[in-house]
Amino acid sequence: MDFVEFLINRGDDMLELGLEHAAVVGASVLLATIIGVGLGVASYRQPRSREAILAVTGAFLTIPSFALFILLIGPLGLGFLPVVVALTLYGLLPIVRNTITGLREVDPAIVEAALGMGMSRGQVLRQIELPLAWPVIITGVRVTTLVLLGIAAIGSIVLGPGYGDLIFTGLARVGTPVAVNLVLAGTLGVVVLAVLFDVLFYVIRKLTTSEGIR
């Protein structure tokens, strides 16, 4: 079957799976951002804590994705939840690292001047350091999102949502005429989502970053 004809015939499935894929990645990125920025803020001034957190979050990336998804079946079962947990763990490092980097790159003279004007440490963090570090932080979130879009497809092995269903169905039917179309359709769906998310983050960065620090 012609690939274009295949996509047309499976258009409804492609849209539904795309929404599922975007939802599981979006939820994971949101959780990873909340946790990652929190860890970065908590540790950027403390060398030992900073190194320990970076080491632990980096270690998550060394766990083979197939193994992690399977290990999570026991405590979390099948479906959406184990995929979200696994993706959140995989997404922490770029966000934590960029949060720490962005905060540490803020000019100490600016911080000292703000403190000298009577601002509290919390006010300096919220009103000066985080806004100045935001372009670096949002870049980390963008990198995490693009990485997780690919890993999310593997979540199909634990009945997770998204384009992995097409890819693994195609791999299970290797040798049949439809196998290549299934794999290509799933892969194309992931690529299209990656482009859309990339555009989204470009817009978010532009809208949330003041002109003076773009």
Side-chain angles (χ1 to χ4, degrees), residues 104-121:
R104 287 178 58 80
E105 286 181 349
V106 174
D107 190 343
I110 297 177
V111 175
E112 291 301 324
L115 292 172
M117 292 173 62
M119 296 179 69
S120 67
R121 179 62 68 180

Side-chain angles (χ1 to χ4, degrees), residues 44-45 98-114 119 123-139 205 208-214:
Y44 78 106
R45 291 183 177 276
N98 278 40
T99 299
I100 291 173
T101 299
L103 291 172
R104 287 178 58 80
E105 286 181 349
V106 174
D107 190 343
I110 297 177
V111 175
E112 291 301 324
M119 296 179 69
Q123 289 176 319
V124 172
L125 176 65
R126 293 190 303 271
Q127 298 178 28
I128 296 177
E129 291 180 299
L130 282 174
L132 289 175
W134 178 244
V136 180
I137 296 173
I138 195 67
T139 298
R205 176 173 178 170
T208 58
T209 305
S210 64
E211 295 185 3
I213 57 176
R214 284 180 186 170

Side-chain angles (χ1 to χ4, degrees), residues 175-198:
T176 66
V178 75
V180 173
N181 286 339
L182 285 167
V183 174
L184 284 177
T187 303
L188 178 62
V190 174
V191 171
V192 170
L193 280 181
V195 172
L196 293 176
F197 269 106
D198 205 33

